[in-house]
Amino acid sequence: MRKFIIGNWKMNGLSCDLDEIVTISAVAQLHTSVDSALCVPATLIERAVKAVGAFPIGGQDCHMHKSGAHTGCVSGDMLSDAGAVLTIIGHSERRAAQQEQDSDIRAKAEAAQAAGLKAILCVGETLEEREAGKALEIVLGQVAHSLPDAAAGGWLSVAYEPVWAIGTGRVAEPADVAEMHAAIRASLVARFGAEGEKIRILYGGSMNGDNAAILLAVPNVDGGLIGGASLTAAKFQPILAAAQAKGE
Ligand code: 13P
């Protein structure tokens, strides 16, 4: 399976950052054994798409409805209309700050698919949940309840992002990542049969150039969702290189 390396710029990026987006896209496209993409703020999607050519640009959320009275929200059709080809769904920062529930995230994923977008659907436990020995139960519950029935077919990837590893510099132990990704894989295969083997499972949480090779070597880690280390080409490139080395 080709590795999938996606940058999540979160709420970062202004016009003056378009040059960096172009540099990132150019560097990423040199890594021909890797699938890569950059998810930028909605305000930058259209300009980023125009600036980078064929490189995939994505959004970071997608409303479950196509249009209507939802002030401040962005629909799948809007993302697609702006030139996005993918979107993140159910990021833990949205699960926490916007109180997004599994049922919302499932509807959003279905809306993304209907709009012709690929979806990166995020799951992950908090530190309290891990310390209480509930990490597997929580994450497998999120997988069961937030993935749509039509998740197979190549348009959806799952991103396992332990909340306590996001933006903290604290990376999950490879053994814990292996355990979680194996459990997610087993649940995907139980639900989707052989198609469940093909759904990519990405790791996210303080992935960087120093730890990417180790994390990407863990069984069932099919790529990465990268926050801070995707903000510059200089930081993103070593992650792409580590993924390229696995793909050769
Ligand atoms: P960091 O790579 O900054 O820890 O963020 C991970 C993340 O939340 C990607 O979606």
Side-chain angles (χ1 to χ4, degrees):
M1 194 138 43
R2 284 167 68 88
K3 301 286 189 200
F4 198 5
I5 302 293
I6 304 166
N8 173 12
W9 267 32
K10 308 191 179 187
M11 199 173 74
N12 297 291
L14 299 170
S15 312
C16 56
D17 299 305
L18 281 164
D19 284 350
E20 194 64 33
I21 291 174
V22 171
T23 306
I24 288 171
S25 74
V27 166
Q29 288 174 99
L30 295 174
H31 299 79
T32 50
S33 305
V34 181
D35 293 333
S36 53
L38 198 58
C39 292
V40 300
T43 48
L44 278 185
I45 291 173
E46 190 159 359
R47 282 174 288 166
V49 167
K50 285 191 177 129
V52 301
F55 181 73
I57 295 291
Q60 302 173 4
D61 179 41
C62 160
H63 198 273
M64 68 264 286
H65 293 131
K66 284 173 82 70
S67 61
H70 304 287
T71 303
C73 298
V74 176
S75 73
D77 284 351
M78 290 170 177
L79 292 174
S80 183
D81 187 49
V85 292
L86 74 155
T87 187
I88 296 167
I89 304 276
H91 194 281
S92 63
E93 287 154 13
R94 296 195 59 84
R95 287 181 184 260
Q98 273 76 33
Q99 288 88 43
E100 289 189 6
Q101 306 299 311
D102 287 335
S103 55
D104 302 321
I105 291 158
R106 181 180 167 129
K108 286 173 174 228
E110 288 170 345
Q113 187 195 22
L117 299 167
K118 291 189 173 172
I120 315 302
L121 195 152
C122 304
V123 296
E125 82 285 358
T126 63
L127 186 58
E128 295 70 41
E129 289 162 347
R130 176 156 287 272
E131 286 178 343
K134 292 185 175 164
L136 280 170
E137 177 194 332
I138 293 290
V139 171
L140 294 181
Q142 291 172 342
V143 169
H145 298 115
S146 48
L147 260 69
D149 288 334
W155 65 278
L156 185 136
S157 304
V158 175
Y160 168 56
E161 299 204 301
V163 175
W164 45 272
I166 294 175
T168 58
R170 186 176 163 190
V171 187
E173 291 296 328
D176 292 334
V177 175
E179 180 187 42
M180 187 61 80
H181 280 236
I184 295 172
R185 174 69 65 212
S187 83
L188 294 176
V189 171
R191 185 163 165 197
F192 302 108
E195 284 293 316
E197 295 279 7
K198 299 184 199 158
I199 297 175
R200 287 190 281 202
I201 309 172
L202 319 179
Y203 169 82
S206 298
M207 191 186 271
N208 59 38
D210 294 333
N211 58 35
I214 293 168
L215 290 163
L216 292 170
V218 172
N220 292 302
V221 174
D222 306 312
L225 184 55
I226 294 106
S230 73
L231 290 171
T232 63
K235 287 185 184 164
F236 202 39
Q237 192 278 333
I239 302 173
L240 292 159
Q244 173 87 5
K246 306 290 173 213
E248 281 171 347

